[in-house]
Amino acid sequence: MNVKPDFSKHANQAETAPAFLSVWEMESYYGESYIVQGVSFNVHEGEILALLGRNGAGKTSVLRSIARMDNPQVNHGEIWLDHQPLHKMRSHDAAVAGIGLVPEDRCIIPGLTVEENLELAQIVPPVGWTIHRLYELFPRLRERRKQEGVTLSGGEQQMLAVARALARDIKVLLLDEPYEGLAPVIVDEIEKTLRVIKEQGITTIIVEQNAIRALELADRAVILDTGGIVFDGTAAEVLENAELRAEYLAI
């Protein structure tokens, strides 16, 4: 008889250190579909968390709920960022509180140059991430600063989307499929940048179908399956557990 592996002992593990970002009993609905089902997890300041799972598991819905992008009438539960109740905020207020979402389609604004995209996003006056500092982090954007953003390559648009989020001096960076359609050499550049961002104390949650690359970058991993958490532990545990990867990530 085949017995389904039980990884539930890892799910929703209690954290001994205070959480910087805390998600508690998050639920999301689209029409009658119950997408995210009582999800709870913590992320510590400066940590990179890989949020993984098969297509349709609810990963993007979790990111959008944290960023308050969806109608709050279809979202339930609590989300706290550094003692601030994100679950009581609209998307604009969550952005002001320090949440930066880079969606899968990147949402580069047509008709604006690279520099204009950054200037539009930047808080005034800039506190940490000035345009000059962003260009130091992304030298390629400096070279193309007068070029219309939507004419950049896919990798350059991803760099612009991340830089635009940083321009608002965010505390948490949410990345939805940042490696999608990018060559491995460009993914290497993006990951190098994310490690630098981590050194600056910014917390990152990455949703990515290339699970191995995400796990090699991340400190911890949360795996979703049909809207609920089936694993919450270190990224190394997932990399070392072939049974877990095969059951929930198909790798």
Side-chain angles (χ1 to χ4, degrees):
M1 180 178 66
N2 293 326
V3 178
K4 185 175 181 179
D6 180 12
F7 303 106
S8 59
K9 65 179 180 179
H10 297 285
N12 300 326
Q13 291 179 339
E15 301 288 353
T16 57
F20 185 64
L21 175 69
S22 182
V23 174
W24 177 251
E25 292 297 320
M26 177 192 291
E27 298 182 348
S28 293
Y29 299 83
Y30 288 94
E32 296 183 358
S33 298
Y34 189 15
I35 305 298
V36 179
Q37 305 176 15
V39 164
S40 300
F41 62 88
N42 292 330
V43 191
H44 299 298
E45 189 170 11
E47 191 172 54
I48 299 178
L49 175 75
L51 183 61
L52 305 174
R54 300 175 189 266
N55 288 336
K59 306 182 297 296
T60 295
S61 294
V62 169
L63 291 191
R64 289 181 62 85
S65 291
I66 293 172
R68 314 311 296 148
M69 297 298 293
D70 291 328
N71 185 341
Q73 293 180 344
V74 298
N75 290 279
H76 305 282
E78 296 185 6
I79 308 168
W80 294 85
L81 172 63
D82 197 18
H83 308 295
Q84 299 177 81
L86 292 180
H87 55 282
K88 296 183 179 180
M89 299 181 187
R90 298 284 185 170
S91 58
H92 171 75
D93 297 317
V96 171
I99 296 293
L101 172 65
V102 178
E104 185 176 359
D105 60 5
R106 298 161 191 151
C107 291
I108 305 303
I109 302 174
L112 298 185
T113 66
V114 167
E115 195 154 292
E116 288 169 340
N117 267 273
L118 295 177
E119 289 173 342
L120 186 64
Q122 191 167 52
I123 64 171
V124 180
V127 177
W129 292 96
T130 63
I131 298 294
H132 175 72
R133 188 180 176 197
L134 289 169
Y135 284 156
E136 288 183 335
L137 186 62
F138 299 97
R140 197 173 302 190
L141 295 183
R142 185 199 305 272
E143 297 170 4
R144 291 158 172 74
R145 62 187 182 277
K146 299 304 180 184
Q147 184 174 334
E148 187 178 356
V150 293
T151 67
L152 299 176
S153 69
E156 291 165 349
Q157 287 192 29
Q158 189 63 262
M159 294 175 190
L160 177 55
V162 173
R164 187 178 57 188
L166 292 175
R168 293 190 290 99
D169 286 327
I170 59 173
K171 298 177 181 178
V172 177
L173 178 64
L174 307 176
L175 298 170
D176 195 2
E177 303 288 357
Y179 305 159
E180 178 68 26
L182 303 184
V185 65
I186 302 299
V187 173
D188 290 343
E189 287 189 44
I190 298 292
E191 289 186 340
K192 181 179 178 180
T193 301
L194 294 178
R195 290 189 174 96
V196 173
I197 292 170
K198 172 182 171 65
E199 291 172 358
Q200 305 303 310
I202 294 176
T203 303
T204 300
I205 300 179
I206 179 171
V207 164
E208 178 53 53
Q209 285 300 316
N210 190 338
I212 295 298
R213 292 295 300 250
L215 288 165
E216 289 173 343
L217 175 71
D219 302 295
R220 290 181 43 250
V222 166
I223 300 178
L224 300 181
D225 186 57
T226 58
I229 292 180
V230 293
F231 177 89
D232 183 346
T234 68
E237 285 180 275
V238 184
L239 287 170
E240 294 166 1
N241 192 325
E243 186 180 18
L244 173 63
R245 296 198 312 274
E247 177 69 18
Y248 295 111
L249 303 176
I251 56 174

